[in-house]
Amino acid sequence: RKEVEQDPGPFNVPEGATVAFNCTYSNSASQSFFWYRQDCRKEPKLLMSVYSSGNEDGRFTAQLNRASQYISLLIRDSKLSDSATYLCVVPNTGGGNKLTFGTGTQLKVEL
Amino acid sequence: ETGVTQSPTHLIKTRGQQVTLRCSSQSGHNTVSWYQQALGQGPQFIFQYYREEENGRGNFPPRFSGLQFPNYSSELNVNALELDDSALYLCASSPDRFTVYNEQFFGPGTRLTVL
C-alpha cells in the first residue's frame, strides 16, 4: 500500500458545485495532516491543516477518520479560481522529518 | 509570496553533467528541505538540512547531495545527471526541523531538463 493515495482525477465540475476529494494513508501513527494546493507550474501552498477530527475554513472542510486512515477535503460553492491540483500530505512521524505527498487530485471548475 | 527564493528558474543540462541549485530560506527559518517533483506526481522528499547538518534523507542515490550555509541558505547538487532527473526541484523552509506541526513554505522551484 502506498504511504499516501489519492484519486488523480481530473474532476471537472460546474461553478457552484460541491466536490469532495479523498485520501488514504498507511501510517496509523500519523497525527496530523495537510492539504496543499498547487497551481499549474507553481509551488505547493498550504490550504488546511488537520490535527483532530476535522477543520473548516470558509468553503473548505477537511475531515479525518483515523479508524479508516482516511482524510477528505470538501469544497462547497466551487469557484473558477479553485481550479488547481490538491495534494494530500502526511508529515513523517519517524526519522527524516519529511512531508509525504500524494500524487494530487486535479480539479477543473468550469462555467 | 513565501519569501523563499530559488535559482535558477529553469535549467537545461545533458546526461552526465553536474548541476547546482540554490535556495534562500525565509527569514528566521533554520530548516530547509528539498523535494523532487516529476511531471504528474507529488513532490518526493530528497533531504532536509537543519543548522548546516543533514537531518534526514529520502530514497535518493548519493549523487544527490546538499549543503546548508550559516545564513541557512542551501544548495542541492546532482552529479552524473540522468534523463529521469528531469523534474521540478522545490525547496521548502520551516522555522524548525519538526514537520509534524510546522508548515513548510515552498519556493517557486527550479525546473531542470536533462537531454
Side-chain angles (χ1 to χ4, degrees):
Chain A
R1 185 179 181 181
K2 284 187 178 178
E3 289 185 80
V4 182
E5 286 197 79
Q6 291 182 255
D7 181 342
F11 284 60
N12 298 320
V13 302
E15 241 188 333
T18 295
V19 62
F21 307 137
N22 301 324
C23 170
T24 57
Y25 60 94
S26 61
N27 186 354
S28 59
S30 297
Q31 294 296 309
S32 62
F33 309 87
F34 302 120
W35 283 100
Y36 274 73
R37 170 192 168 132
Q38 186 171 28
D39 292 296
C40 187
R41 304 181 76 84
K42 300 281 192 179
E43 72 274 21
K45 294 184 180 177
L46 181 66
L47 178 66
M48 297 188 77
S49 306
V50 187
Y51 301 125
S52 57
S53 61
N55 190 11
E56 184 171 332
D57 182 6
R59 298 183 293 110
F60 299 83
T61 300
Q63 291 191 314
L64 169 62
N65 183 321
R66 291 188 189 278
S68 301
Q69 294 180 215
Y70 168 99
I71 314 149
S72 65
L73 177 68
L74 183 76
I75 305 176
R76 291 180 297 276
D77 189 22
S78 300
K79 311 289 185 192
L80 293 175
S81 57
D82 294 333
S83 298
T85 295
Y86 291 84
L87 296 158
C88 176
V89 185
V90 180
N92 186 50
T93 56
N97 294 297
K98 66 180 183 181
L99 296 178
T100 300
F101 287 80
T103 55
T105 299
Q106 188 179 11
L107 172 65
K108 295 181 181 178
V109 181
E110 302 164 331
L111 286 170
Chain B
E1 297 300 323
T2 64
V4 180
T5 61
Q6 291 186 245
S7 63
T9 306
H10 296 87
L11 203 53
I12 299 175
K13 292 284 189 178
T14 56
R15 274 186 302 174
Q17 285 189 309
Q18 178 266 343
V19 68
T20 297
L21 310 181
R22 295 179 175 83
C23 170
S24 291
S25 59
Q26 187 167 320
S27 177
H29 288 187
N30 58 27
T31 303
V32 172
S33 303
W34 285 92
Y35 293 82
Q36 180 196 66
Q37 186 174 24
L39 198 61
Q41 301 296 316
Q44 299 290 313
F45 176 74
I46 303 175
F47 42 56
Q48 183 184 79
Y49 279 84
Y50 169 69
R51 296 191 173 186
E52 303 179 60
E53 297 284 333
E54 187 178 289
N55 187 51
R57 188 179 182 92
N59 190 25
F60 280 80
R63 58 190 186 83
F64 285 78
S65 63
L67 282 174
Q68 187 178 33
F69 301 98
N71 66 355
Y72 303 133
S73 65
S74 178
E75 283 183 357
L76 164 65
N77 298 292
V78 187
N79 293 322
L81 283 167
E82 301 176 1
L83 296 178
D84 285 349
D85 295 333
S86 295
L88 179 68
Y89 287 84
L90 295 160
C91 163
S93 79
S94 53
D96 195 89
R97 58 185 163 157
F98 299 107
T99 59
V100 177
Y101 298 107
N102 289 325
E103 178 182 354
Q104 292 193 8
F105 296 84
F106 285 84
T110 293
R111 191 164 297 278
L112 173 66
T113 301
V114 182
L115 302 176

